Amino acid sequence: MTRSGYHKRLLDAVTTDFAVLRGHPQPFGVSNLGGVVNFALFSRHATALNLVLYRPGDSEPLVEFPFDPKLNRTGDVWHMGLQGLVPGFEYGYRAARTSSELSPVHRFDAQQVLLDPYARAVSGPSLWRAAPRRASREGSWRGLLVEDDFDWGLDQPLNHHLADSVIYELHIRGFTRHSSSRVTNPGSFSGVIEKIPYLQELGVTAVELLPVTEFDESDNYRKNPMTGEPLRNFWGYHPLSFFAPKAAYAVAMHAGAQVREFKEMVKALHAAGIEVILDMVFNHTGEGNEEGLTVSFRGLDNSIYYIVDPQSGAYANYSGCGNTVNCNNPVVRDLIIDALCYWVTEMHVDGFRFDLASILGRGSNGQVLTNPPLLERIAGNPVLANTKLIAEAWDAAGLYQVGTFPNFGRWAEWNGKFRDDIRRFVHGDLGMVPVLATRLSGSSDLYQQSGRAPYHSINFVTSHDGFTLSDLVSYNVKHNEANGEYNADGDNNNFSFNHGIEGETAEPVIQALRERQVRNFATLLILAHGVPMLLAGDEMGRSQKGNNNAWCQDNDISWVDWGKLDSNRGLLQFFRRLIAFRQLNDLLRPRQFEGEENGERRLTWHGRALNKPDWSEESQSLGMHLQGRSGETEIYLIANAAAEPVDFALPPADMKAPWRRFVDTSLPTTPAGPEPGQESPLTCQQSYRVQEHSVVVLVR
């Protein structure tokens, strides 16, 4: 029977002839236990609960089943089994609490149909999916019973070593939504599959996906003040579910298509040798503050799932998004662990980046915990033993833990200090040479003392949050007027520079200098010790027109314009060759810090004269010489941020093995540049002139 025929049979079925059983309290969510569909839900403070069933798309319930508190409850878990229920049905819960036991921390409403926190797929309103069920946005999101018959074959998480990784951060919709992408299904999981050959050509080893769990893209009520067009929640950092892939990223409209198509994308990426890292948001939800919608957690057990004031019921807001998840409550810890294990075991993902991860280390009163049990449990969970764990080690309340994040020997971090320090050096700030050396060699000041390695530093210069690389060298200040917040949103401390003219320009001298600075950033990022993370589109000169907080821009500002490849093919090949060079040379991917490898690797620093680095406040140039075992390629990287050329002495070489130039960012990029191992020799040269604002890489 076809899927459409199956759903017609389901829709035409006129039956409520279900056998109702006691059910089991575990596992949470919906599961098939011996032919019985089992429902299990936590709610400590509810005194009454109903299971509500819908046929697909119906606005009114087909049937409701009340839970018997004596028969269908074990401890704080409500459970029920149903026979005769088939995939395709939608479901939700009504939770209530007697009026005599009301409290400001509880938000029970017996009229509200609530989403299961463990739902594996969600049905609800969607602008992008043309699913307009909007009679009441509260109660519009429901769990879906879906078939689980996907054939993974031999697929499993790839488990590349983190040190060998090159991460590419992308947005599912933004990556292929632009018409220039020329994919069959723009803005979808399927669209990413069509771009796998491009990702392979670039050479990245992992894609880091902005949030893919269900969210409401229309929960932004502002308009673009310049065009009058509605603004959207484009990035998706307001989750309604921790388990369910966003339905709007699927092509097919049948129930559960989002689960199948996500799996198809993962399987295809794995077949190409590319890992999948998910950006997970556990620090807050899309239910917002006291004025927000009630969708799930708030109506099921508000005081358990959120950090709330016990007297007023007001939400703590360490996330800057209206609420803060009570991450270290034992029940919530289990929920988060279960979600992570689900994504690894059932969806085969390879790792996670945790948004505002410092919140995961706060206690029930918001206090910063010394040994947060959630972070320890994630690090020690046996199912997650090979899973990449990457923390955004700060929150919106001023807690900044880069280098001090509770890591338990496992956690890597987005290195925000690498971003800022590399920007400041390239910008030409004084006093940055010692800091540059530390960042290029893996940020030992941040990670060595805690027993971690250089690869625990996720190095980046740009990300979704901030300027693109092109904008970083084209704007002195942010230009976020289109966001409808009077340019008050977004970071003001960007360490950017427009090189003489704000924004786009046809002035050839400025264009050439900007292009050189982009190459400088790319070279320092990709060849530094640690793990480089690239922002999708930087390798082809993507611009957001100076917007450094494009979270609400579902348009050309956020979409990758693939037409830029035509005019920036040389830049793409520059990125590709740098990545290939990194992957060919173990010296650039150390497992340990300098001095911990029994003499197998030697790193020395140089100034204009060999072995004499200039660490002074006025210095703006530095040489890094990497030597390994006999027969390995030697690498000599020289960075000059000064406004005048600098002559650097070269380490001794001979006619049989002369120094060869791999990169000189002062030279224009061309698609036909040298491949690793095919560089032109610098015969008899004892020094090299490094032009102003340039980075040079020599090999022998």
Side-chain angles (χ1 to χ4, degrees), residues 173 216 235-236 276 284 333 420 422 469 496 570 631 649 655:
R173 181 172 172 86
D216 180 11
W235 285 351
V276 177
H284 74 281
R333 288 203 304 264
D420 296 343
I422 296 298
L469 200 50
S496 61
M655 293 294 291

Side-chain angles (χ1 to χ4, degrees), residues 433 604-615 619 621-625 636-638 646-652 686-688 690:
V433 166
T604 53
W605 302 105
H606 305 283
R608 300 184 186 193
L610 294 179
N611 301 313
K612 292 184 179 180
D614 183 355
W615 305 119
S619 175
S621 60
L622 179 68
M624 180 176 75
H625 185 198
Y636 190 34
L637 183 151
I638 312 168
V646 177
D647 290 321
F648 265 71
L650 298 182
Q686 295 181 339
S687 65
Y688 192 100
V690 184

Side-chain angles (χ1 to χ4, degrees), residues 47-302:
T47 56
L49 192 75
N50 281 16
L51 172 65
V52 187
L53 294 181
Y54 298 82
R55 289 187 293 190
D58 283 2
S59 58
E60 297 298 324
L62 173 68
V63 63
E64 294 194 31
F65 297 104
F67 289 75
D68 185 326
K70 295 182 179 179
L71 182 67
N72 300 115
R73 184 172 184 174
T74 301
D76 294 331
V77 183
W78 304 74
H79 46 83
M80 180 184 295
L82 290 181
Q83 286 182 328
L85 192 59
V86 295
F89 273 94
E90 301 175 2
Y91 73 100
Y93 296 97
R94 298 188 199 272
R97 184 173 174 82
T98 57
S99 58
S100 61
E101 300 180 44
L102 291 180
S103 161
V105 303
H106 299 314
R107 298 176 69 101
F108 291 101
D109 181 352
Q111 303 305 309
Q112 180 71 52
V113 178
L114 303 167
L115 176 65
D116 179 3
Y118 277 78
R120 270 43 170 187
V122 173
S123 170
S126 174
L127 293 167
W128 294 340
R129 193 173 166 82
R133 185 169 66 229
R134 295 181 177 281
S136 169
R137 297 195 68 78
E138 294 189 286
S140 293
W141 284 272
R142 307 167 189 157
L144 271 172
L145 303 180
V146 298
E147 295 173 305
D148 186 16
D149 58 352
F150 187 77
D151 182 7
W152 280 107
L154 298 178
D155 182 82
Q156 59 184 345
L158 297 178
N159 295 329
H160 294 325
H161 196 289
L162 187 56
D164 298 328
S165 299
V166 177
I167 300 172
Y168 189 76
E169 188 196 38
L170 67 86
H171 185 283
I172 292 291
R173 181 172 172 86
F175 193 51
T176 62
R177 181 63 183 83
H178 199 281
S179 59
S180 62
S181 70
R182 298 182 179 178
V183 300
T184 305
N185 299 297
S188 66
F189 297 132
S190 173
V192 173
I193 294 176
E194 292 190 61
K195 288 299 183 182
I196 288 177
Y198 173 82
L199 297 172
Q200 289 179 298
E201 176 191 3
L202 183 58
V204 298
T205 69
V207 290
E208 182 173 304
L209 307 178
L210 267 69
V212 299
T213 60
E214 194 62 60
F215 62 91
D216 180 11
E217 62 268 29
S218 66
D219 71 358
N220 182 0
Y221 301 103
R222 292 191 179 92
K223 292 186 177 181
N224 184 326
M226 295 180 286
T227 67
E229 296 176 342
L231 298 172
R232 305 300 181 205
N233 178 359
F234 178 72
W235 285 351
Y237 286 94
H238 282 234
L240 299 176
S241 171
F242 298 150
F243 289 84
K246 184 158 181 60
Y249 293 158
V251 177
M253 296 295 288
H254 63 75
Q258 60 269 48
V259 178
R260 174 174 292 273
E261 293 185 27
F262 179 87
K263 291 179 177 180
E264 289 170 347
M265 179 191 68
V266 172
K267 186 176 181 180
L269 285 164
H270 282 176
I274 299 172
E275 294 185 313
V276 177
I277 298 171
L278 299 188
D279 193 338
M280 297 296 291
V281 184
F282 293 119
N283 61 83
H284 74 281
T285 78
E287 291 186 308
N289 61 17
E290 293 79 5
E291 304 302 319
L293 297 178
T294 296
V295 175
S296 177
F297 309 97
R298 166 177 295 168
L300 289 170
D301 220 325
N302 186 57

Side-chain angles (χ1 to χ4, degrees), residues 224 482 542-545 547 550 553-559:
N224 184 326
R542 186 176 80 88
S543 172
Q544 292 181 168
K545 303 176 182 177
N547 193 320
Q553 299 294 331
D554 179 29
N555 49 47
D556 287 357
I557 290 177
S558 296
W559 301 342

Side-chain angles (χ1 to χ4, degrees), residues 474-679:
S474 302
Y475 294 90
N476 280 350
V477 296
K478 66 187 182 184
H479 294 270
N480 298 352
E481 292 82 3
N483 295 353
E485 298 184 50
Y486 307 99
N487 206 34
D489 62 308
D491 198 343
N492 294 315
N493 300 310
N494 299 290
F495 307 113
S496 61
F497 187 38
N498 66 19
H499 298 89
I501 296 176
E502 187 76 353
E504 296 182 6
T505 179
E507 172 57 48
V509 174
I510 294 178
Q511 282 187 334
L513 182 52
R514 288 176 177 178
E515 291 168 5
R516 182 185 301 190
Q517 294 287 51
V518 166
R519 295 192 292 273
N520 291 337
F521 279 122
T523 305
L524 295 175
L525 169 64
I526 295 172
L527 302 189
H529 296 170
V531 178
M533 186 188 77
L534 315 177
L535 173 63
D538 274 353
E539 75 282 4
M540 62 180 85
R542 186 176 80 88
S543 172
Q544 292 181 168
K545 303 176 182 177
N547 193 320
N548 77 346
N549 189 34
W551 72 277
C552 55
Q553 299 294 331
D554 179 29
N555 49 47
D556 287 357
I557 290 177
S558 296
W559 301 342
V560 173
D561 180 358
W562 292 86
K564 285 189 171 291
L565 282 179
D566 296 333
S567 57
N568 290 293
R569 181 64 62 175
L571 181 60
L572 169 64
Q573 295 305 331
F574 185 81
F575 272 79
R576 184 189 65 77
R577 287 193 290 267
L578 282 172
I579 294 171
F581 183 73
R582 176 186 176 84
Q583 300 300 67
L584 282 172
N585 290 283
D586 291 345
L587 286 173
L588 298 170
R589 310 190 313 278
R591 267 54 169 179
Q592 296 170 292
F593 283 105
E594 180 70 14
E596 299 177 343
E597 299 190 23
N598 300 318
E600 293 185 354
R601 180 173 63 100
R602 184 165 175 255
L603 186 159
T604 53
W605 302 105
H606 305 283
R608 300 184 186 193
L610 294 179
N611 301 313
K612 292 184 179 180
D614 183 355
W615 305 119
S616 69
E617 182 75 15
E618 295 75 24
S619 175
Q620 293 181 284
S621 60
L622 179 68
M624 180 176 75
H625 185 198
L626 290 170
Q627 298 169 278
R629 294 180 293 269
S630 176
E632 279 191 309
T633 299
E634 283 185 51
I635 300 170
Y636 190 34
L637 183 151
I638 312 168
N640 178 28
E644 61 278 332
V646 177
D647 290 321
F648 265 71
L650 298 182
D654 55 47
M655 293 294 291
K656 293 182 180 179
W659 285 104
R660 293 172 284 123
R661 182 177 60 222
F662 177 62
V663 165
D664 186 334
T665 62
S666 69
L667 303 176
T669 56
T670 63
E675 295 295 325
Q678 300 177 1
E679 306 88 356

Side-chain angles (χ1 to χ4, degrees), residues 36-53:
V36 176
V37 178
N38 191 74
F39 296 82
L41 180 79
F42 165 84
S43 183
R44 177 172 300 159
H45 295 103
T47 56
L49 192 75
N50 281 16
L51 172 65
V52 187
L53 294 181

